[in-house]
Amino acid sequence: MDAQPQLDGPVVVKVEGLHKSFGQLEVLRGIDMEVRNGEVVVIFGRSGSGKSTLLRCINFLEEPTSGSIEVDGIRPAGGHRTRAVREQIRQLRMRCAMVFQEFNLFPHMTALGNVIEGPVTVKGMPRETAIPLGEHVLEMVGLADKRDEYPIRLSGGQKQRVAIARALAMEPKVILFDEPTSALDPELIGEVLAVMRSLATELHMTMIVVTHEMGFAREVAHRVAFFHEGRILEEGPAREILAAPASPETKRFLDAVL
Amino acid sequence: MRTEEAGAGRTARPPTGRRSGGLRERLELGTARIPFRVKLGLVWIGIFVVLGILFALARFDTPWLRQHYWFIFRGLPWTVAISVMAIALASILALLGALGRISKNSIAVGLTGFYTSFFRGTPLIVQMFLIYLALPQVGIALGGPWARTLTLDPLRAGVIALGLNYGAYMTEIFRAGIQSVGHGQSEAAESLGMTYRQKMRRIVLPQAVRVIIPPTGNEFIAMMKDSALVSFLGTVVAQMEIFRRAQLLGRRDFRPLEALLAAAVMYWVLTTVFQYFQGRLERRLSRGYVREVAGKPEVPPH
């Protein structure tokens, strides 16, 4: 399938001069990135290269050391988290959903409960409205029949699909995927990737995906970015980069993964 | 040799009258075919028979007790009321204490640190008297409405002291419970855009409760027993709990054994009943954590 680059859409995520250090360790050393509406960007690179940290900074799960992050026009001020900054971050997060490597489903809620929790609690949506919405997004990930199951009774792949449905239910502008298939058994990876692919091709959802699944990158991503030691070493259309990487680092990594 | 005997004992009639082996071993062999539960029941019956004989020797006055037990029994609602009010207070304090202890705010950490240290480091009975007798002195010194506000009747002082004391211990229980909820849960809640309050109320505390309930149940049981200490503050007749009633009645009629034993049995029944309900609550709370439904183990689905 051929994904059409939509480089004319509005910019949804804008990262400028992002630095992040943990103590002495500088994990991100100046990241600049723009993601446009409907674009799928795959970030790849060795572990420890700062891929996950970038996603966590975009969602403000990590406080950037310097630089700015803007999602859908919202740019929280850095520094001390005053009440106003916390509210900005909250507004940003409502537009920027996250899917975690370890799913992080709420174990005390059913699949449907997990999915409608955000709309009901965060957006104040009435339950009567949220339930059909929740059923709809569960159907989109192929789990309509699991609506009343608790996470413990779901397989890893099903859990991650519920987590994707939970992200979708917030009707976000962008979904960040932090190694969504890395905690899964090999035979369960396909179902999760299939759901992600349908989000890209059918919903034209804006997605930033950190993954080692280069097949997914080649088929679905408009753009890929290779991370190396806290910087984007190489970036461009998926097919070009994966077929003919310019930097020897990228080539070495791709040879090892593919 | 031994193993052969044991094997024979399980299948055929146990060898009797054999002099080999001690009394304990012969007893085990002789009763090998009686189910464990039956033996357990016999032991309990034995205990009660021995105690019964002892009490009979002490001239246990059953008719007197039959006449007066109702007076002691009427203290039971007060024992329960004191404990419920105090555990409610303790739970609120423990929640605040736990949130304070894990916060990054120096004032909150300092306040909760002082609170838990003081109330865990001093005897409960001293705290009770401090609140009942010493607090009015502070109130009078402060003057104005404080003199009235800080002068508490025995029941209130007792409840507050129990609540403060147990709250200090339960702070650790609540803290451990809250911290037992994985960091990923917090992040998932935050990434949805939840505020701290929403995250705590909807995601963290409901999961922490599962960890908090069993030890809190134990605290409540201990509290029902410690509520007897309120007696020492001298509650008025209408509000007397079990122990105070038993003490006064036993002293008046020189029947300490009957009155105090009746009180003990009431406490015992009370705590046992509560333990049963606590077990049911725990099972209910494990929903979402246990794979089987209606006792049918399930193969993890794909």
Side-chain angles (χ1 to χ4, degrees), chain A residues 5-254:
Chain A
Q6 300 168 324
L7 296 172
D8 50 340
V11 174
V12 176
V13 179
K14 191 170 182 181
V15 178
E16 283 176 319
L18 178 66
H19 287 256
K20 175 65 186 175
S21 302
F22 295 100
Q24 294 291 318
L25 185 69
E26 196 176 13
V27 180
L28 295 178
R29 306 167 182 228
I31 302 287
D32 293 283
M33 182 181 241
E34 273 189 8
V35 180
R36 290 180 181 273
N37 192 31
E39 212 180 354
V40 177
V41 176
V42 162
I43 296 172
F44 67 111
R46 224 165 273 137
S47 66
S49 59
K51 303 166 304 210
S52 289
T53 307
L54 171 65
L55 288 198
R56 294 169 60 80
C57 280
I58 294 174
N59 206 257
F60 281 83
L61 291 174
E62 304 287 355
E63 186 74 42
T65 307
S66 68
S68 81
I69 285 157
E70 185 178 316
V71 175
D72 195 32
I74 294 173
R75 182 196 289 250
H80 189 67
R81 287 202 182 177
T82 59
R83 189 179 291 259
V85 173
R86 284 204 303 269
E87 177 57 24
Q88 278 182 314
I89 291 175
R90 208 175 70 82
Q91 290 295 330
L92 178 146
R93 284 170 171 164
M94 283 164 67
R95 292 162 170 78
C96 175
M98 186 130 179
V99 173
F100 299 89
Q101 181 178 346
E102 300 291 340
F103 330 129
N104 294 343
L105 289 184
F106 305 132
H108 58 304
M109 297 176 181
T110 62
L112 185 68
N114 268 275
V115 169
I116 66 171
E117 183 59 28
V120 171
T121 301
V122 177
K123 289 184 166 176
M125 188 185 284
R127 286 189 79 84
E128 312 84 78
T129 322
I131 288 171
L133 168 68
E135 285 168 341
H136 175 65
V137 291
L138 278 175
E139 202 178 322
M140 282 171 57
V141 300
L143 291 173
D145 57 324
K146 299 288 183 190
R147 55 166 275 173
D148 296 323
E149 295 286 8
Y150 284 91
I152 189 86
R153 304 231 311 147
L154 301 175
S155 71
Q158 291 170 337
K159 280 183 199 164
Q160 194 59 298
R161 283 149 68 195
V162 172
I164 293 171
R166 179 173 67 179
L168 281 175
M170 287 299 284
E171 296 171 320
K173 295 286 181 187
V174 54
I175 304 182
L176 313 176
F177 292 84
D178 187 5
E179 303 206 25
T181 57
S182 299
L184 296 176
D185 291 336
E187 76 272 20
L188 304 177
I189 290 173
E191 62 187 73
V192 172
L193 291 180
V195 165
M196 289 167 60
R197 177 173 306 158
S198 74
L199 297 191
T201 57
E202 287 162 33
L203 288 183
H204 303 292
M205 178 60 73
T206 313
M207 296 159 48
I208 306 178
V209 185
V210 169
T211 186
H212 295 295
E213 296 292 331
M214 299 324 293
F216 175 82
R218 185 179 300 121
E219 286 169 30
V220 182
H222 301 99
R223 201 145 53 91
V224 297
F226 178 68
F227 264 54
H228 185 67
E229 292 175 350
R231 290 195 183 87
I232 297 177
L233 202 63
E234 195 167 348
E235 184 182 12
R239 277 156 192 267
E240 287 176 23
I241 303 246
L242 298 180
S247 108
E249 289 292 346
T250 315
K251 186 170 170 9
R252 204 173 306 146
F253 179 83
L254 287 174

Side-chain angles (χ1 to χ4, degrees), chain B residues 227-245:
Chain B
S227 68
L229 288 173
V230 178
S231 294
F232 291 114
L233 302 181
T235 34
V236 294
V237 181
Q239 300 175 340
M240 288 189 306
E241 40 68 62
I242 294 174
F243 176 55
R244 181 131 175 89
R245 285 168 182 267

